[in-house]
Amino acid sequence: MSYLIDGLQYANWSEKIFRQMRAGGVDAVHVTITYHETFRETVLVIEQWNRWFEQFPDLIFQGRTADDVCRARETGRTAIFFGSQNPSCIEDDIGLVEVLHTLGLRFMQLTYNNQSLLASGCYEDEDTGLTRMGRQVVAEMNRVGLVVDMSHSGERSTFEAIAQSTRPVTISHANPASWHKARRNKSDDLLRALGQSGGFLGLSVYPHHLKDGGDCTLQSWCDMAALAVDLMGPQNVGIGTDLCQDQPDSIVEWMRVGRWTKAIDYGEGSAANAGFPSMPNWFRDNRDLAGIRAGLRAAGLDEATTDGIMGDNWHAFFARSFGRQDAPTTKQDAAE
Amino acid sequence: MSYLIDGLQYANWSEKIFRQMRAGGVDAVHVTITYHETFRETVLVIEQWNRWFEQFPDLIFQGRTADDVCRARETGRTAIFFGSQNPSCIEDDIGLVEVLHTLGLRFMQLTYNNQSLLASGCYEDEDTGLTRMGRQVVAEMNRVGLVVDMSHSGERSTFEAIAQSTRPVTISHANPASWHKARRNKSDDLLRALGQSGGFLGLSVYPHHLKDGGDCTLQSWCDMAALAVDLMGPQNVGIGTDLCQDQPDSIVEWMRVGRWTKAIDYGEGSAANAGFPSMPNWFRDNRDLAGIRAGLRAAGLDEATTDGIMGDNWHAFFARSFGRQDAPTTKQDAAE
């Protein structure tokens, strides 16, 4: 049986959700721990996670290597891998890349919608590509094993990150724009280039990224998955649901507005639809993740490809991405 | 041949000093990385160490477990273990204990001369013992494997830390006051209690802790080591030189004054002798460390006891101190 991995969630975490992860047989989740938070604020979130790890050791533990996914399966727990959706957590300090990797950060987006110190976000009028600091930080992320995530970046910035990075880049949560046109979804050209570089796409279940929004059917979504496999290659696609379970609407406002404006910004929503959108009825929480398997088979994907999308592809991506490039420290890293 | 370990240095680190560590055959050093620095400032120092580790991988690497001392010996390098001489780095936030342990901190003093949020320093008029936060932090340090270091604490605080801590406490750099009376040296009663609890004493070569200061002879120092073995037990004594090589006098002022006073405080020095004191001529730098061995044998210590003091005792102390208490994560931790 393949691994079951969700490549992006940002829930209002609780014992209930951790128990749903176990009920759903989820081996690993990449969780967002920070958006616009400073380094010190991000450390406060890590401290909260440390308390959850201490409080619920039978349900969850902190994942650091691909081997931890195996350990999760063997011990009946879910491995939690940390990620950031914006580089605010490294402030203007490249030294924080390694510090945060040591604390367990395994993914970092170069931007979240807006221009950052590193690159341009997908909502800016002008995408000027990687900045001077952006090129330096990508090299440092490559060195320590922190994955470059371009989910919320502009197209030129993403092409440049793919070209600049010596290790595979990910778009952890988005879909092909040729299936559903949205600011956050990605062009076929971009996805082909990402796949050819060994990069990775996590397919999103967030309604703003779906054809027909929350009414999108599982069949339609799985047809889209087949399209993504055609564009990216069967080994370069997984799931990144973008599950924002149990979050109050104040959180989506924080995600969109941070401290960068005094006005309101609706991001992918609108004044009439400002809060979190409702998820499709076939994906409410972690217990529904495994149910996607049957839909993928029904969409004509073979068993190996389906196993890959459900988790084996993410597992292989973790194995080649999280170790240090300069000084192998584990057997797994050395084997790369 | 025994391991060679120095249990406390705070030098003005440089390639020159790292090469002297190798010339001296030093397997491991506990280095002070922070005194009065906030958490964020401490992280900046860790970033500097990360750059040194990247720059000089053939000379040094970051030590995290006792096994890293063996790895240092096997690969001809020196393992660097981080420590703090004051709890400023955890601010008022107990969650930073685990965060700093994850970043490699292995020792933390509860005080540096003054009252802290945790306990009383050895220069306060009143020693009121462990504070409410102090008791909580000692328990958290025990849980994650961060060693309680009482080198600069008052006597009552030290007795209380020994009683409160469920794991061995250290005084990483001090000497018996019955050999040389000094505010920083420790009473026979205290050292006996420390030894009986399985705690550890690192013998200092810092002139203010020595009979006759910088003129102290190696023979006198080694006779003192024999006295310490009598007080503490042969397995509970090692070396903690307090080497402050190449530091400008502005640093000893920072150590003593931090940001806690606008006036000057001379600590163990005086207005007439305000800077760093001169080290004894038999201990200038890391190349002189191994030379202490002959002095210990001449003082009548047997080979096993001498091996212990030179490094084997610290190594065994590291092995029982640095692992987590709640959830063993390595074979070595599990064996404890």
Side-chain angles (χ1 to χ4, degrees), chain B residues 56-99:
Chain B
F56 306 111
D58 299 334
L59 303 176
I60 56 170
F61 67 96
Q62 185 172 0
R64 295 174 172 277
T65 68
D67 282 347
D68 285 331
V69 180
C70 316
R71 190 155 68 99
R73 173 66 63 93
E74 286 160 10
T75 59
R77 297 180 294 165
T78 301
I80 303 291
F81 291 86
F82 292 163
S84 172
Q85 291 211 27
N86 203 33
S88 299
C89 54
I90 66 163
E91 301 174 351
D92 61 354
D93 181 356
I94 195 169
L96 291 177
V97 170
E98 182 166 1
V99 166

mmCIF file of all heavy atoms in Angstrom, chain B residues 56-99:
data_model
loop_
_atom_site.group_PDB
_atom_site.id
_atom_site.type_symbol
_atom_site.label_atom_id
_atom_site.label_comp_id
_atom_site.label_asym_id
_atom_site.label_seq_id
_atom_site.Cartn_x
_atom_site.Cartn_y
_atom_site.Cartn_z
ATOM 1 N N PHE B 56 35.204 25.775 7.725
ATOM 2 C CA PHE B 56 36.310 24.936 8.214
ATOM 3 C C PHE B 56 35.858 23.511 8.535
ATOM 4 O O PHE B 56 36.079 23.020 9.653
ATOM 5 C CB PHE B 56 36.940 25.579 9.464
ATOM 6 C CG PHE B 56 37.370 26.997 9.269
ATOM 7 C CD1 PHE B 56 36.701 28.039 9.907
ATOM 8 C CD2 PHE B 56 38.432 27.312 8.426
ATOM 9 C CE1 PHE B 56 37.088 29.360 9.718
ATOM 10 C CE2 PHE B 56 38.829 28.632 8.232
ATOM 11 C CZ PHE B 56 38.151 29.660 8.871
ATOM 12 N N PRO B 57 35.241 22.832 7.546
ATOM 13 C CA PRO B 57 34.676 21.502 7.839
ATOM 14 C C PRO B 57 35.741 20.455 8.152
ATOM 15 O O PRO B 57 35.412 19.403 8.705
ATOM 16 C CB PRO B 57 33.923 21.155 6.540
ATOM 17 C CG PRO B 57 34.626 21.937 5.479
ATOM 18 C CD PRO B 57 35.068 23.223 6.141
ATOM 19 N N ASP B 58 36.995 20.723 7.807
ATOM 20 C CA ASP B 58 38.051 19.761 8.101
ATOM 21 C C ASP B 58 38.606 19.930 9.517
ATOM 22 O O ASP B 58 39.381 19.099 9.987
ATOM 23 C CB ASP B 58 39.204 19.901 7.100
ATOM 24 C CG ASP B 58 38.738 19.623 5.676
ATOM 25 O OD1 ASP B 58 37.744 18.877 5.521
ATOM 26 O OD2 ASP B 58 39.351 20.168 4.743
ATOM 27 N N LEU B 59 38.223 21.032 10.174
ATOM 28 C CA LEU B 59 38.753 21.304 11.514
ATOM 29 C C LEU B 59 37.705 21.102 12.601
ATOM 30 O O LEU B 59 38.012 20.539 13.658
ATOM 31 C CB LEU B 59 39.269 22.760 11.586
ATOM 32 C CG LEU B 59 40.346 23.173 10.566
ATOM 33 C CD1 LEU B 59 40.663 24.663 10.710
ATOM 34 C CD2 LEU B 59 41.615 22.341 10.752
ATOM 35 N N ILE B 60 36.502 21.579 12.354
ATOM 36 C CA ILE B 60 35.470 21.590 13.401
ATOM 37 C C ILE B 60 34.120 21.182 12.826
ATOM 38 O O ILE B 60 33.881 21.273 11.631
ATOM 39 C CB ILE B 60 35.319 22.999 14.033
ATOM 40 C CG1 ILE B 60 35.011 24.036 12.941
ATOM 41 C CG2 ILE B 60 36.552 23.379 14.846
ATOM 42 C CD1 ILE B 60 34.609 25.404 13.479
ATOM 43 N N PHE B 61 33.231 20.725 13.706
ATOM 44 C CA PHE B 61 31.820 20.526 13.353
ATOM 45 C C PHE B 61 31.001 20.653 14.629
ATOM 46 O O PHE B 61 31.542 20.594 15.733
ATOM 47 C CB PHE B 61 31.582 19.168 12.660
ATOM 48 C CG PHE B 61 31.796 17.971 13.543
ATOM 49 C CD1 PHE B 61 30.738 17.350 14.190
ATOM 50 C CD2 PHE B 61 33.070 17.460 13.737
ATOM 51 C CE1 PHE B 61 30.931 16.241 15.002
ATOM 52 C CE2 PHE B 61 33.278 16.339 14.554
ATOM 53 C CZ PHE B 61 32.207 15.736 15.177
ATOM 54 N N GLN B 62 29.686 20.813 14.455
ATOM 55 C CA GLN B 62 28.846 21.016 15.634
ATOM 56 C C GLN B 62 28.557 19.690 16.324
ATOM 57 O O GLN B 62 28.027 18.758 15.715
ATOM 58 C CB GLN B 62 27.530 21.692 15.251
ATOM 59 C CG GLN B 62 26.695 22.015 16.498
ATOM 60 C CD GLN B 62 25.467 22.851 16.210
ATOM 61 O OE1 GLN B 62 25.192 23.210 15.080
ATOM 62 N NE2 GLN B 62 24.719 23.169 17.258
ATOM 63 N N GLY B 63 28.878 19.620 17.605
ATOM 64 C CA GLY B 63 28.577 18.439 18.406
ATOM 65 C C GLY B 63 27.182 18.524 18.994
ATOM 66 O O GLY B 63 26.749 19.588 19.438
ATOM 67 N N ARG B 64 26.467 17.394 18.966
ATOM 68 C CA ARG B 64 25.110 17.341 19.516
ATOM 69 C C ARG B 64 24.936 16.201 20.519
ATOM 70 O O ARG B 64 24.127 16.285 21.424
ATOM 71 C CB ARG B 64 24.089 17.177 18.387
ATOM 72 C CG ARG B 64 24.050 18.382 17.452
ATOM 73 C CD ARG B 64 23.151 18.161 16.253
ATOM 74 N NE ARG B 64 23.008 19.394 15.498
ATOM 75 C CZ ARG B 64 22.149 20.369 15.785
ATOM 76 N NH1 ARG B 64 21.325 20.234 16.783
ATOM 77 N NH2 ARG B 64 22.111 21.462 15.050
ATOM 78 N N THR B 65 25.690 15.106 20.303
ATOM 79 C CA THR B 65 25.593 13.940 21.184
ATOM 80 C C THR B 65 26.999 13.505 21.590
ATOM 81 O O THR B 65 27.993 13.908 20.972
ATOM 82 C CB THR B 65 24.927 12.752 20.460
ATOM 83 O OG1 THR B 65 25.813 12.292 19.426
ATOM 84 C CG2 THR B 65 23.601 13.158 19.825
ATOM 85 N N ALA B 66 27.055 12.645 22.609
ATOM 86 C CA ALA B 66 28.355 12.109 23.039
ATOM 87 C C ALA B 66 29.034 11.369 21.891
ATOM 88 O O ALA B 66 30.267 11.370 21.785
ATOM 89 C CB ALA B 66 28.156 11.198 24.245
ATOM 90 N N ASP B 67 28.224 10.733 21.035
ATOM 91 C CA ASP B 67 28.809 10.017 19.888
ATOM 92 C C ASP B 67 29.611 10.952 18.986
ATOM 93 O O ASP B 67 30.516 10.502 18.278
ATOM 94 C CB ASP B 67 27.704 9.348 19.053
ATOM 95 C CG ASP B 67 27.214 8.060 19.699
ATOM 96 O OD1 ASP B 67 27.892 7.568 20.631
ATOM 97 O OD2 ASP B 67 26.161 7.564 19.279
ATOM 98 N N ASP B 68 29.253 12.233 18.981
ATOM 99 C CA ASP B 68 29.991 13.175 18.142
ATOM 100 C C ASP B 68 31.429 13.352 18.632
ATOM 101 O O ASP B 68 32.296 13.755 17.854
ATOM 102 C CB ASP B 68 29.266 14.528 18.083
ATOM 103 C CG ASP B 68 28.029 14.473 17.184
ATOM 104 O OD1 ASP B 68 28.022 13.666 16.231
ATOM 105 O OD2 ASP B 68 27.074 15.226 17.440
ATOM 106 N N VAL B 69 31.690 13.069 19.900
ATOM 107 C CA VAL B 69 33.074 13.106 20.391
ATOM 108 C C VAL B 69 33.871 11.974 19.758
ATOM 109 O O VAL B 69 35.012 12.161 19.307
ATOM 110 C CB VAL B 69 33.111 13.014 21.935
ATOM 111 C CG1 VAL B 69 34.556 13.063 22.429
ATOM 112 C CG2 VAL B 69 32.285 14.131 22.566
ATOM 113 N N CYS B 70 33.251 10.796 19.665
ATOM 114 C CA CYS B 70 33.907 9.659 18.996
ATOM 115 C C CYS B 70 34.138 9.998 17.518
ATOM 116 O O CYS B 70 35.199 9.720 16.960
ATOM 117 C CB CYS B 70 33.049 8.400 19.087
ATOM 118 S SG CYS B 70 32.319 8.112 20.707
ATOM 119 N N ARG B 71 33.111 10.594 16.900
ATOM 120 C CA ARG B 71 33.205 10.941 15.481
ATOM 121 C C ARG B 71 34.327 11.962 15.261
ATOM 122 O O ARG B 71 35.043 11.910 14.257
ATOM 123 C CB ARG B 71 31.860 11.507 15.007
ATOM 124 C CG ARG B 71 31.739 11.699 13.511
ATOM 125 C CD ARG B 71 30.288 11.670 13.059
ATOM 126 N NE ARG B 71 29.502 12.803 13.514
ATOM 127 C CZ ARG B 71 29.217 13.875 12.765
ATOM 128 N NH1 ARG B 71 29.669 13.944 11.533
ATOM 129 N NH2 ARG B 71 28.482 14.854 13.252
ATOM 130 N N ALA B 72 34.479 12.875 16.196
ATOM 131 C CA ALA B 72 35.558 13.861 16.100
ATOM 132 C C ALA B 72 36.916 13.158 16.116
ATOM 133 O O ALA B 72 37.777 13.421 15.271
ATOM 134 C CB ALA B 72 35.458 14.862 17.252
ATOM 135 N N ARG B 73 37.083 12.239 17.052
ATOM 136 C CA ARG B 73 38.345 11.505 17.146
ATOM 137 C C ARG B 73 38.616 10.728 15.848
ATOM 138 O O ARG B 73 39.716 10.770 15.301
ATOM 139 C CB ARG B 73 38.301 10.567 18.361
ATOM 140 C CG ARG B 73 39.482 9.598 18.492
ATOM 141 C CD ARG B 73 40.819 10.291 18.753
ATOM 142 N NE ARG B 73 40.891 11.015 19.993
ATOM 143 C CZ ARG B 73 41.347 10.512 21.150
ATOM 144 N NH1 ARG B 73 41.776 9.262 21.192
ATOM 145 N NH2 ARG B 73 41.381 11.247 22.248
ATOM 146 N N GLU B 74 37.555 10.047 15.370
ATOM 147 C CA GLU B 74 37.716 9.203 14.177
ATOM 148 C C GLU B 74 38.048 10.012 12.925
ATOM 149 O O GLU B 74 38.747 9.522 12.036
ATOM 150 C CB GLU B 74 36.421 8.413 13.917
ATOM 151 C CG GLU B 74 36.208 7.265 14.888
ATOM 152 C CD GLU B 74 34.745 6.821 14.929
ATOM 153 O OE1 GLU B 74 33.958 7.269 14.069
ATOM 154 O OE2 GLU B 74 34.398 6.039 15.841
ATOM 155 N N THR B 75 37.530 11.240 12.840
ATOM 156 C CA THR B 75 37.712 12.026 11.620
ATOM 157 C C THR B 75 38.749 13.135 11.788
ATOM 158 O O THR B 75 38.897 13.977 10.897
ATOM 159 C CB THR B 75 36.372 12.647 11.169
ATOM 160 O OG1 THR B 75 35.866 13.483 12.224
ATOM 161 C CG2 THR B 75 35.342 11.567 10.859
ATOM 162 N N GLY B 76 39.431 13.160 12.929
ATOM 163 C CA GLY B 76 40.491 14.138 13.128
ATOM 164 C C GLY B 76 40.002 15.574 13.174
ATOM 165 O O GLY B 76 40.639 16.488 12.641
ATOM 166 N N ARG B 77 38.850 15.772 13.825
ATOM 167 C CA ARG B 77 38.300 17.126 13.961
ATOM 168 C C ARG B 77 37.927 17.386 15.421
ATOM 169 O O ARG B 77 38.041 16.504 16.275
ATOM 170 C CB ARG B 77 37.067 17.275 13.068
ATOM 171 C CG ARG B 77 37.404 17.116 11.588
ATOM 172 C CD ARG B 77 36.157 17.262 10.719
ATOM 173 N NE ARG B 77 35.226 16.181 10.948
ATOM 174 C CZ ARG B 77 33.947 16.206 10.552
ATOM 175 N NH1 ARG B 77 33.475 17.264 9.922
ATOM 176 N NH2 ARG B 77 33.156 15.176 10.780
ATOM 177 N N THR B 78 37.488 18.611 15.703
ATOM 178 C CA THR B 78 37.055 18.967 17.044
ATOM 179 C C THR B 78 35.547 19.224 17.030
ATOM 180 O O THR B 78 35.058 20.006 16.208
ATOM 181 C CB THR B 78 37.794 20.224 17.541
ATOM 182 O OG1 THR B 78 39.205 19.965 17.528
ATOM 183 C CG2 THR B 78 37.356 20.596 18.952
ATOM 184 N N ALA B 79 34.828 18.555 17.906
ATOM 185 C CA ALA B 79 33.382 18.766 18.031
ATOM 186 C C ALA B 79 33.126 19.955 18.950
ATOM 187 O O ALA B 79 33.675 20.023 20.050
ATOM 188 C CB ALA B 79 32.707 17.511 18.582
ATOM 189 N N ILE B 80 32.292 20.886 18.469
ATOM 190 C CA ILE B 80 31.991 22.115 19.204
ATOM 191 C C ILE B 80 30.593 22.009 19.798
ATOM 192 O O ILE B 80 29.603 21.883 19.057
ATOM 193 C CB ILE B 80 32.055 23.329 18.254
ATOM 194 C CG1 ILE B 80 33.433 23.426 17.566
ATOM 195 C CG2 ILE B 80 31.680 24.619 18.985
ATOM 196 C CD1 ILE B 80 34.572 23.781 18.479
ATOM 197 N N PHE B 81 30.504 22.043 21.122
ATOM 198 C CA PHE B 81 29.201 21.985 21.807
ATOM 199 C C PHE B 81 28.866 23.370 22.359
ATOM 200 O O PHE B 81 29.681 23.983 23.031
ATOM 201 C CB PHE B 81 29.256 20.969 22.957
ATOM 202 C CG PHE B 81 29.381 19.545 22.487
ATOM 203 C CD1 PHE B 81 30.627 18.996 22.203
ATOM 204 C CD2 PHE B 81 28.259 18.751 22.328
ATOM 205 C CE1 PHE B 81 30.756 17.675 21.763
ATOM 206 C CE2 PHE B 81 28.369 17.433 21.896
ATOM 207 C CZ PHE B 81 29.627 16.900 21.613
ATOM 208 N N PHE B 82 27.634 23.819 22.085
ATOM 209 C CA PHE B 82 27.225 25.177 22.483
ATOM 210 C C PHE B 82 26.757 25.219 23.949
ATOM 211 O O PHE B 82 26.082 24.305 24.429
ATOM 212 C CB PHE B 82 26.048 25.652 21.631
ATOM 213 C CG PHE B 82 26.348 25.892 20.181
ATOM 214 C CD1 PHE B 82 25.293 25.981 19.265
ATOM 215 C CD2 PHE B 82 27.637 26.053 19.708
ATOM 216 C CE1 PHE B 82 25.525 26.217 17.922
ATOM 217 C CE2 PHE B 82 27.888 26.291 18.353
ATOM 218 C CZ PHE B 82 26.817 26.372 17.468
ATOM 219 N N GLY B 83 27.063 26.348 24.597
ATOM 220 C CA GLY B 83 26.520 26.598 25.929
ATOM 221 C C GLY B 83 26.267 28.072 26.142
ATOM 222 O O GLY B 83 26.811 28.923 25.436
ATOM 223 N N SER B 84 25.419 28.373 27.127
ATOM 224 C CA SER B 84 25.108 29.751 27.503
ATOM 225 C C SER B 84 25.522 29.975 28.948
ATOM 226 O O SER B 84 25.309 29.104 29.793
ATOM 227 C CB SER B 84 23.606 30.011 27.352
ATOM 228 O OG SER B 84 23.291 31.284 27.889
ATOM 229 N N GLN B 85 26.082 31.146 29.241
ATOM 230 C CA GLN B 85 26.482 31.421 30.626
ATOM 231 C C GLN B 85 25.425 32.196 31.398
ATOM 232 O O GLN B 85 25.668 32.647 32.520
ATOM 233 C CB GLN B 85 27.834 32.138 30.671
ATOM 234 C CG GLN B 85 28.975 31.216 30.223
ATOM 235 C CD GLN B 85 30.310 31.514 30.881
ATOM 236 O OE1 GLN B 85 30.376 32.042 31.985
ATOM 237 N NE2 GLN B 85 31.385 31.164 30.204
ATOM 238 N N ASN B 86 24.254 32.356 30.809
ATOM 239 C CA ASN B 86 23.179 33.110 31.465
ATOM 240 C C ASN B 86 21.888 32.702 30.759
ATOM 241 O O ASN B 86 21.921 32.299 29.592
ATOM 242 C CB ASN B 86 23.431 34.622 31.280
ATOM 243 C CG ASN B 86 22.743 35.478 32.325
ATOM 244 O OD1 ASN B 86 22.603 35.064 33.466
ATOM 245 N ND2 ASN B 86 22.327 36.664 31.929
ATOM 246 N N PRO B 87 20.733 32.808 31.437
ATOM 247 C CA PRO B 87 19.497 32.422 30.746
ATOM 248 C C PRO B 87 18.853 33.548 29.954
ATOM 249 O O PRO B 87 17.690 33.408 29.557
ATOM 250 C CB PRO B 87 18.592 31.968 31.902
ATOM 251 C CG PRO B 87 19.055 32.758 33.066
ATOM 252 C CD PRO B 87 20.521 33.037 32.870
ATOM 253 N N SER B 88 19.565 34.625 29.673
ATOM 254 C CA SER B 88 18.983 35.713 28.857
ATOM 255 C C SER B 88 18.454 35.184 27.531
ATOM 256 O O SER B 88 17.471 35.696 26.997
ATOM 257 C CB SER B 88 20.039 36.785 28.561
ATOM 258 O OG SER B 88 20.519 37.355 29.742
ATOM 259 N N CYS B 89 19.092 34.148 27.005
ATOM 260 C CA CYS B 89 18.723 33.641 25.686
ATOM 261 C C CYS B 89 17.338 33.010 25.662
ATOM 262 O O CYS B 89 16.745 32.882 24.590
ATOM 263 C CB CYS B 89 19.766 32.646 25.173
ATOM 264 S SG CYS B 89 20.110 31.294 26.332
ATOM 265 N N ILE B 90 16.804 32.603 26.831
ATOM 266 C CA ILE B 90 15.420 32.107 26.829
ATOM 267 C C ILE B 90 14.433 33.199 27.220
ATOM 268 O O ILE B 90 13.231 32.938 27.317
ATOM 269 C CB ILE B 90 15.213 30.856 27.718
ATOM 270 C CG1 ILE B 90 15.428 31.169 29.196
ATOM 271 C CG2 ILE B 90 16.066 29.685 27.256
ATOM 272 C CD1 ILE B 90 14.830 30.098 30.117
ATOM 273 N N GLU B 91 14.944 34.393 27.445
ATOM 274 C CA GLU B 91 14.088 35.532 27.794
ATOM 275 C C GLU B 91 13.141 35.118 28.924
ATOM 276 O O GLU B 91 13.605 34.558 29.918
ATOM 277 C CB GLU B 91 13.357 36.011 26.522
ATOM 278 C CG GLU B 91 14.387 36.432 25.450
ATOM 279 C CD GLU B 91 13.812 36.790 24.090
ATOM 280 O OE1 GLU B 91 12.609 36.573 23.866
ATOM 281 O OE2 GLU B 91 14.579 37.288 23.236
ATOM 282 N N ASP B 92 11.840 35.374 28.766
ATOM 283 C CA ASP B 92 10.900 34.937 29.808
ATOM 284 C C ASP B 92 10.033 33.798 29.287
ATOM 285 O O ASP B 92 8.889 33.629 29.706
ATOM 286 C CB ASP B 92 10.023 36.116 30.266
ATOM 287 C CG ASP B 92 9.200 36.675 29.118
ATOM 288 O OD1 ASP B 92 9.386 36.242 27.968
ATOM 289 O OD2 ASP B 92 8.357 37.559 29.373
ATOM 290 N N ASP B 93 10.594 32.984 28.372
ATOM 291 C CA ASP B 93 9.814 32.063 27.547
ATOM 292 C C ASP B 93 10.362 30.643 27.665
ATOM 293 O O ASP B 93 11.361 30.295 27.036
ATOM 294 C CB ASP B 93 9.886 32.563 26.094
ATOM 295 C CG ASP B 93 9.099 31.696 25.140
ATOM 296 O OD1 ASP B 93 8.546 30.666 25.567
ATOM 297 O OD2 ASP B 93 9.045 32.061 23.940
ATOM 298 N N ILE B 94 9.687 29.815 28.443
ATOM 299 C CA ILE B 94 10.170 28.453 28.700
ATOM 300 C C ILE B 94 10.219 27.625 27.416
ATOM 301 O O ILE B 94 10.998 26.669 27.314
ATOM 302 C CB ILE B 94 9.298 27.782 29.792
ATOM 303 C CG1 ILE B 94 9.969 26.522 30.340
ATOM 304 C CG2 ILE B 94 7.894 27.472 29.268
ATOM 305 C CD1 ILE B 94 9.293 25.973 31.599
ATOM 306 N N GLY B 95 9.402 27.997 26.411
ATOM 307 C CA GLY B 95 9.413 27.267 25.145
ATOM 308 C C GLY B 95 10.747 27.369 24.421
ATOM 309 O O GLY B 95 11.070 26.527 23.574
ATOM 310 N N LEU B 96 11.520 28.400 24.746
ATOM 311 C CA LEU B 96 12.827 28.550 24.087
ATOM 312 C C LEU B 96 13.852 27.540 24.580
ATOM 313 O O LEU B 96 14.892 27.352 23.937
ATOM 314 C CB LEU B 96 13.344 29.985 24.265
ATOM 315 C CG LEU B 96 12.562 31.052 23.489
ATOM 316 C CD1 LEU B 96 13.096 32.448 23.794
ATOM 317 C CD2 LEU B 96 12.617 30.781 21.982
ATOM 318 N N VAL B 97 13.580 26.863 25.697
ATOM 319 C CA VAL B 97 14.506 25.819 26.169
ATOM 320 C C VAL B 97 14.617 24.728 25.109
ATOM 321 O O VAL B 97 15.719 24.350 24.693
ATOM 322 C CB VAL B 97 14.025 25.232 27.514
ATOM 323 C CG1 VAL B 97 14.839 23.994 27.887
ATOM 324 C CG2 VAL B 97 14.117 26.282 28.615
ATOM 325 N N GLU B 98 13.488 24.230 24.643
ATOM 326 C CA GLU B 98 13.521 23.164 23.632
ATOM 327 C C GLU B 98 14.027 23.701 22.290
ATOM 328 O O GLU B 98 14.791 23.021 21.595
ATOM 329 C CB GLU B 98 12.129 22.541 23.464
ATOM 330 C CG GLU B 98 12.137 21.403 22.456
ATOM 331 C CD GLU B 98 10.879 20.542 22.499
ATOM 332 O OE1 GLU B 98 9.968 20.841 23.304
ATOM 333 O OE2 GLU B 98 10.816 19.568 21.726
ATOM 334 N N VAL B 99 13.603 24.904 21.922
ATOM 335 C CA VAL B 99 14.051 25.490 20.650
ATOM 336 C C VAL B 99 15.580 25.605 20.630
ATOM 337 O O VAL B 99 16.231 25.224 19.649
ATOM 338 C CB VAL B 99 13.385 26.864 20.428
ATOM 339 C CG1 VAL B 99 14.064 27.639 19.314
ATOM 340 C CG2 VAL B 99 11.892 26.682 20.132
#
